[in-house]
Amino acid sequence: MVTPMITEKMISNAPYAASTFTIIAGFTVRDWGVIIGVILTLITVIVNWVYKHRQDKREVERHKRELEKLVSLKDL
C-alpha cells in the first residue's frame, strides 16, 4: 500500500530524476571521456598525495632514528 507521504516524495523527486536522466542520456562519447578523465585525474591526485604523505612520515621517523644513533655515538 502506497501512503500519501510516499506519493508526495515520489512526485516531488520525479522532476529531479527526469532531469538527471536527460542530462546523462544527452552526453556524447566525448563528454563521457572528459568526465571519466577528470574523475581519474582526481583519483590519481588523491592517491599520490596519500603515498607522499606516508613517505614523508617514514622519512621523518628515519631521520629521528639516525639522530638518536648520532647522539648515542657522541656520548661514547
Side-chain angles (χ1 to χ4, degrees):
M1 181 172 157
V2 178
T3 64
M5 183 177 273
I6 293 174
T7 306
E8 285 181 32
K9 286 184 180 181
M10 288 172 52
I11 291 172
S12 66
N13 289 331
Y16 297 115
S19 297
T20 302
F21 176 75
T22 304
I23 290 170
I24 290 173
F27 286 156
T28 64
V29 174
R30 181 178 289 163
D31 294 335
W32 281 111
V34 170
I35 291 169
I36 291 170
V38 168
I39 291 170
L40 291 177
T41 301
L42 290 173
I43 290 171
T44 302
V45 167
I46 291 168
V47 168
N48 284 340
W49 181 81
V50 167
Y51 280 101
K52 186 65 176 171
H53 179 71
R54 288 180 182 178
Q55 180 184 8
D56 291 345
K57 211 170 162 184
R58 285 190 309 265
E59 288 177 358
V60 166
E61 291 172 5
R62 188 182 72 195
H63 181 69
K64 286 179 183 179
R65 285 193 309 267
E66 289 177 359
L67 283 178
E68 288 172 359
K69 283 181 185 178
L70 290 175
V71 168
S72 65
L73 289 176
K74 188 176 181 182
D75 290 342
L76 295 177

Short mmCIF file of all heavy atoms in Angstrom, two decimals, residues 46-60:
data_model
loop_
_atom_site.label_atom_id
_atom_site.label_comp_id
_atom_site.label_asym_id
_atom_site.label_seq_id
_atom_site.Cartn_x
_atom_site.Cartn_y
_atom_site.Cartn_z
N ILE A 46 44.69 12.24 -5.48
CA ILE A 46 44.45 11.82 -4.10
C ILE A 46 45.39 10.68 -3.71
O ILE A 46 45.99 10.70 -2.63
CB ILE A 46 42.97 11.42 -3.92
CG1 ILE A 46 42.09 12.67 -4.02
CG2 ILE A 46 42.75 10.72 -2.58
CD1 ILE A 46 40.60 12.38 -4.14
N VAL A 47 45.54 9.69 -4.59
CA VAL A 47 46.43 8.56 -4.29
C VAL A 47 47.86 9.03 -4.14
O VAL A 47 48.57 8.64 -3.20
CB VAL A 47 46.31 7.46 -5.37
CG1 VAL A 47 47.40 6.43 -5.25
CG2 VAL A 47 44.94 6.79 -5.30
N ASN A 48 48.31 9.91 -5.03
CA ASN A 48 49.68 10.44 -4.93
C ASN A 48 49.88 11.21 -3.64
O ASN A 48 50.93 11.10 -3.00
CB ASN A 48 50.01 11.32 -6.13
CG ASN A 48 50.29 10.53 -7.37
OD1 ASN A 48 50.62 9.34 -7.31
ND2 ASN A 48 50.16 11.17 -8.51
N TRP A 49 48.89 11.99 -3.24
CA TRP A 49 49.00 12.76 -2.01
C TRP A 49 49.11 11.83 -0.81
O TRP A 49 49.94 12.06 0.09
CB TRP A 49 47.79 13.68 -1.85
CG TRP A 49 47.89 14.52 -0.60
CD1 TRP A 49 48.59 15.66 -0.43
CD2 TRP A 49 47.30 14.22 0.65
NE1 TRP A 49 48.46 16.11 0.86
CE2 TRP A 49 47.67 15.24 1.55
CE3 TRP A 49 46.47 13.19 1.11
CZ2 TRP A 49 47.25 15.26 2.86
CZ3 TRP A 49 46.06 13.22 2.43
CH2 TRP A 49 46.45 14.25 3.29
N VAL A 50 48.31 10.77 -0.78
CA VAL A 50 48.33 9.84 0.34
C VAL A 50 49.71 9.17 0.44
O VAL A 50 50.30 9.11 1.52
CB VAL A 50 47.21 8.78 0.20
CG1 VAL A 50 47.43 7.62 1.18
CG2 VAL A 50 45.86 9.41 0.41
N TYR A 51 50.22 8.68 -0.69
CA TYR A 51 51.51 8.00 -0.65
C TYR A 51 52.66 8.96 -0.33
O TYR A 51 53.60 8.59 0.36
CB TYR A 51 51.77 7.24 -1.95
CG TYR A 51 51.05 5.92 -1.96
CD1 TYR A 51 49.86 5.76 -2.65
CD2 TYR A 51 51.54 4.83 -1.25
CE1 TYR A 51 49.19 4.55 -2.65
CE2 TYR A 51 50.89 3.62 -1.23
CZ TYR A 51 49.70 3.48 -1.93
OH TYR A 51 49.05 2.29 -1.91
N LYS A 52 52.59 10.18 -0.80
CA LYS A 52 53.63 11.17 -0.48
C LYS A 52 53.60 11.49 1.02
O LYS A 52 54.63 11.62 1.66
CB LYS A 52 53.41 12.44 -1.31
CG LYS A 52 54.49 13.45 -1.15
CD LYS A 52 55.81 12.92 -1.67
CE LYS A 52 56.87 13.98 -1.58
NZ LYS A 52 58.19 13.48 -1.86
N HIS A 53 52.41 11.59 1.56
CA HIS A 53 52.26 11.84 2.99
C HIS A 53 52.88 10.70 3.80
O HIS A 53 53.60 10.94 4.78
CB HIS A 53 50.78 12.01 3.34
CG HIS A 53 50.52 12.25 4.78
ND1 HIS A 53 50.83 13.44 5.40
CD2 HIS A 53 49.99 11.46 5.74
CE1 HIS A 53 50.51 13.37 6.68
NE2 HIS A 53 49.98 12.17 6.91
N ARG A 54 52.61 9.46 3.38
CA ARG A 54 53.20 8.31 4.08
C ARG A 54 54.72 8.30 3.95
O ARG A 54 55.43 7.98 4.90
CB ARG A 54 52.64 7.01 3.51
CG ARG A 54 51.20 6.76 3.89
CD ARG A 54 50.72 5.47 3.29
NE ARG A 54 49.32 5.24 3.59
CZ ARG A 54 48.63 4.21 3.16
NH1 ARG A 54 49.21 3.31 2.38
NH2 ARG A 54 47.36 4.07 3.46
N GLN A 55 55.23 8.64 2.77
CA GLN A 55 56.68 8.68 2.55
C GLN A 55 57.31 9.73 3.46
O GLN A 55 58.36 9.49 4.07
CB GLN A 55 57.00 8.97 1.09
CG GLN A 55 58.47 9.03 0.79
CD GLN A 55 58.75 9.43 -0.65
OE1 GLN A 55 57.85 9.80 -1.40
NE2 GLN A 55 60.00 9.35 -1.05
N ASP A 56 56.72 10.91 3.53
CA ASP A 56 57.24 11.96 4.40
C ASP A 56 57.28 11.50 5.85
O ASP A 56 58.24 11.77 6.58
CB ASP A 56 56.40 13.23 4.28
CG ASP A 56 56.55 13.92 2.94
OD1 ASP A 56 57.51 13.58 2.20
OD2 ASP A 56 55.70 14.77 2.61
N LYS A 57 56.24 10.80 6.28
CA LYS A 57 56.18 10.30 7.64
C LYS A 57 57.31 9.30 7.91
O LYS A 57 57.97 9.37 8.95
CB LYS A 57 54.82 9.62 7.84
CG LYS A 57 54.27 9.69 9.21
CD LYS A 57 52.84 9.19 9.17
CE LYS A 57 52.36 8.83 10.53
NZ LYS A 57 51.03 8.27 10.51
N ARG A 58 57.55 8.39 6.96
CA ARG A 58 58.64 7.42 7.11
C ARG A 58 59.99 8.11 7.17
O ARG A 58 60.86 7.74 7.96
CB ARG A 58 58.62 6.41 5.95
CG ARG A 58 57.52 5.39 6.05
CD ARG A 58 57.71 4.28 5.03
NE ARG A 58 57.92 4.75 3.67
CZ ARG A 58 56.97 4.90 2.75
NH1 ARG A 58 55.73 4.61 3.05
NH2 ARG A 58 57.26 5.33 1.54
N GLU A 59 60.19 9.13 6.34
CA GLU A 59 61.46 9.84 6.32
C GLU A 59 61.71 10.59 7.62
O GLU A 59 62.85 10.65 8.10
CB GLU A 59 61.53 10.78 5.12
CG GLU A 59 61.68 10.05 3.80
CD GLU A 59 61.67 10.98 2.60
OE1 GLU A 59 61.51 12.21 2.78
OE2 GLU A 59 61.81 10.46 1.48
N VAL A 60 60.68 11.15 8.21
CA VAL A 60 60.83 11.84 9.49
C VAL A 60 61.23 10.83 10.57
O VAL A 60 62.13 11.10 11.38
CB VAL A 60 59.52 12.58 9.87
CG1 VAL A 60 59.53 13.00 11.33
CG2 VAL A 60 59.31 13.78 8.96
#
